[in-house]
Amino acid sequence: MARIIALENESKKDVITQKASLLFIKKGFPSTSMRDIAGAIGVEAPSLYNHITSKNDLLREICFRISRVFMNHLKKVESSRQTSLGKIEAIIRFHIYMMIHEFENMYITNHEWIHLHAPAVSDFKLQRRNYRSRLSAILKKGITKKQIRKLNADVAVHTMLAAINGIEGWHRSGRKVDARELEENMVEFLIEGLKK
Amino acid sequence: MARIIALENESKKDVITQKASLLFIKKGFPSTSMRDIAGAIGVEAPSLYNHITSKNDLLREICFRISRVFMNHLKKVESSRQTSLGKIEAIIRFHIYMMIHEFENMYITNHEWIHLHAPAVSDFKLQRRNYRSRLSAILKKGITKKQIRKLNADVAVHTMLAAINGIEGWHRSGRKVDARELEENMVEFLIEGLKK
DNA sequence: CCTACCGATCGGTAGG
DNA sequence: CCTACCGATCGGTAGG
């Protein structure tokens, strides 16, 4: 019984998060009011607070869930038996996959995290910095082993991640590109730019 | 005399725009209040309205000035005598230059344009679309002439522009990278990815 | 350039 | 899940 109630709460919260995500993308986090979210669901704003803690908490959960997913993936890649270039390609493909299949939460994480509150915002920045410096380490190893072009590794990491995050422009403009074609073209562009 | 007053008004307006830009970057456009801007200058909020029309108008002027600069540059490149790859490199270098030297206004234009009001927002999207499809045309010509790798041109345009706009991450994190090193590494990465 | 102030809207709480 | 409502804050105007 307690189990059923818990499940009902979770699913209602998921509905809120989902509707909120779409509005955050459309209007931005600060311009989306709790009344907007409530209206999209069909309830009054105060009712939302039976399921969530605060508007900012909604944002926090989205950003940290995405952050966790990338951290877990990175750990697997780091401990895999592949060349450095192979690892980078796996990471690139995973970022592309996430931009396509988790677009809403990716967009919000990439753009609205600045509105996180006091401890969360610095935790988030720290995780991000850590993630990128570990990518940088993989690139540097690949450069040493002459698999990767001699580039400034930090510049290369920022460049390739930004390029992939640019897939958002695709969703926004509503252009029709096959996901597979997008992935293959982007991977070729980036890998050929990196490959020695 | 009228001339002098006009110049004074312009310069005061420039101060407002400049201070507002910094706040828009730090807090986002919607979360920046007119009181924030006024406070940063040292006046009361209503005083701002002697120099500007509205908060949204401030955003509009920033976005359309940047848009105009890119359109003018593109026109020059299009009519220049260079290979397609040469044109693309010139455009890449110009985008990098702008991201470094006009960072504040570039950041706002890239991120906050969604908050533009009714006719401006669609004008802006139209200009953007037009600009990108003209870059795409240059790429396609380069592919036909076998100067450029056979890629989906729209994907390539989005990818390279997003990559360059990613320079914002650099400013934000406050990392120290020499502008010249940043430019050369990024150009090499992107051009080698495009070159046949 | 200011003070005084407007109507609207915000996130969130009380109480049921 | 609702109504009723809070204090705060918003963009902007009036009037000087």
Side-chain angles (χ1 to χ4, degrees):
Chain A
M1 182 61 171
R3 181 66 183 278
I4 289 165
I5 288 166
L7 282 173
E8 276 171 352
N9 284 349
E10 273 178 302
S11 110
K12 194 77 191 185
K13 185 172 178 174
D14 287 347
V15 171
I16 294 169
T17 307
Q18 216 169 46
K19 292 281 185 188
S21 293
L22 295 174
L23 288 164
F24 292 163
I25 291 170
K26 199 167 141 197
K27 315 177 56 164
F29 177 78
S31 300
T32 301
S33 71
M34 296 310 282
R35 276 125 179 123
D36 289 335
I37 299 169
I41 294 170
V43 297
E44 297 300 319
S47 303
L48 298 175
Y49 289 89
N50 292 310
H51 306 284
I52 64 160
T53 306
S54 72
K55 187 187 167 190
N56 206 268
D57 203 56
L58 224 44
L59 179 63
R60 201 177 48 74
E61 287 188 18
I62 292 170
C63 293
F64 280 84
R65 192 180 63 75
I66 291 291
S67 184
R68 219 180 306 121
V69 169
F70 278 101
M71 284 299 188
N72 289 339
H73 180 262
L74 178 56
K75 244 173 267 172
K76 270 184 219 156
V77 169
E78 283 173 332
S79 62
S80 71
R81 283 191 277 96
Q82 287 181 94
T83 62
S84 301
L85 192 63
K87 286 178 183 175
I88 292 295
E89 181 172 334
I91 289 161
I92 288 174
R93 287 190 188 272
F94 188 67
H95 275 255
I96 294 171
Y97 174 89
M98 288 292 285
M99 280 305 295
I100 292 172
H101 294 97
E102 284 260 25
F103 168 65
E104 286 80 9
N105 294 322
M106 287 296 287
Y107 180 87
I108 292 164
T109 303
N110 284 335
H111 285 83
E112 307 295 331
W113 64 268
I114 34 164
H115 300 109
L116 288 170
H117 281 166
V121 68
S122 42
D123 285 356
F124 183 84
K125 282 201 276 193
L126 210 68
Q127 285 189 27
R128 208 176 213 245
R129 200 187 174 85
N130 176 262
Y131 182 83
R132 287 174 184 229
S133 78
R134 281 157 70 182
L135 293 203
S136 203
I138 296 173
L139 270 180
K140 278 172 189 156
K141 196 157 187 180
I143 293 168
T144 308
K145 296 204 169 185
K146 316 235 172 179
Q147 295 159 3
I148 291 174
R149 193 186 302 282
K150 196 169 164 295
L151 291 168
N152 179 312
D154 292 334
V155 171
V157 167
H158 269 81
T159 302
M160 76 186 208
L161 295 189
I164 299 165
N165 289 336
I167 290 175
E168 71 175 52
W170 228 275
H171 281 261
R172 246 185 207 295
S173 68
R175 297 289 287 278
K176 63 291 160 193
V177 189
D178 179 66
R180 176 129 196 102
E181 193 184 347
L182 179 58
E183 177 171 345
E184 292 314 321
N185 275 277
M186 195 169 279
V187 169
E188 183 182 348
F189 188 168
L190 296 175
I191 291 295
E192 291 299 328
L194 289 170
K195 201 193 287 178
K196 179 121 190 176
Chain B
M1 183 60 173
R3 182 68 182 276
I4 290 165
I5 289 166
L7 283 173
E8 277 172 350
N9 284 348
E10 274 177 302
S11 111
K12 193 78 190 188
K13 185 173 177 173
D14 288 347
V15 171
I16 294 170
T17 306
Q18 216 168 47
K19 293 281 186 188
S21 293
L22 295 174
L23 288 163
F24 292 162
I25 291 171
K26 200 167 139 195
K27 313 177 59 162
F29 177 78
S31 301
T32 301
S33 70
M34 296 309 283
R35 277 128 179 121
D36 289 335
I37 300 169
I41 295 170
V43 297
E44 297 300 320
S47 303
L48 297 174
Y49 289 88
N50 293 310
H51 306 284
I52 64 159
T53 306
S54 71
K55 186 187 167 190
N56 206 267
D57 203 57
L58 224 45
L59 179 62
R60 203 178 47 74
E61 287 188 19
I62 292 170
C63 293
F64 280 84
R65 192 180 63 74
I66 290 291
S67 184
R68 220 180 304 122
V69 169
F70 278 101
M71 284 299 187
N72 289 339
H73 179 261
L74 177 57
K75 244 174 266 173
K76 270 183 217 157
V77 169
E78 283 173 330
S79 62
S80 71
R81 285 192 275 94
Q82 286 181 93
T83 63
S84 300
L85 192 63
K87 286 178 182 176
I88 292 295
E89 181 171 336
I91 289 161
I92 287 173
R93 286 191 189 272
F94 188 67
H95 275 255
I96 294 171
Y97 174 88
M98 289 291 286
M99 279 304 296
I100 292 172
H101 295 96
E102 284 260 25
F103 168 65
E104 285 81 9
N105 293 322
M106 288 294 290
Y107 180 86
I108 292 163
T109 303
N110 283 336
H111 285 83
E112 307 294 331
W113 65 267
I114 34 165
H115 299 108
L116 289 170
H117 282 166
V121 69
S122 42
D123 285 357
F124 183 84
K125 282 200 275 192
L126 211 69
Q127 285 188 29
R128 207 175 213 245
R129 199 186 173 86
N130 175 262
Y131 182 83
R132 286 174 185 230
S133 76
R134 281 156 71 181
L135 292 203
S136 202
I138 297 173
L139 270 181
K140 279 172 188 156
K141 196 157 187 177
I143 292 168
T144 308
K145 296 202 168 186
K146 316 233 172 183
Q147 293 159 6
I148 291 174
R149 193 187 303 281
K150 197 169 165 293
L151 291 169
N152 179 312
D154 292 334
V155 172
V157 167
H158 269 80
T159 302
M160 76 187 207
L161 295 188
I164 299 164
N165 289 336
I167 289 174
E168 70 174 54
W170 229 274
H171 282 260
R172 248 186 205 296
S173 69
R175 298 288 287 278
K176 62 293 160 193
V177 188
D178 180 64
R180 177 128 198 103
E181 193 184 347
L182 179 58
E183 178 171 344
E184 292 313 322
N185 276 276
M186 196 170 279
V187 169
E188 184 181 348
F189 187 167
L190 296 175
I191 290 295
E192 292 298 329
L194 289 170
K195 200 193 289 178
K196 177 122 190 177

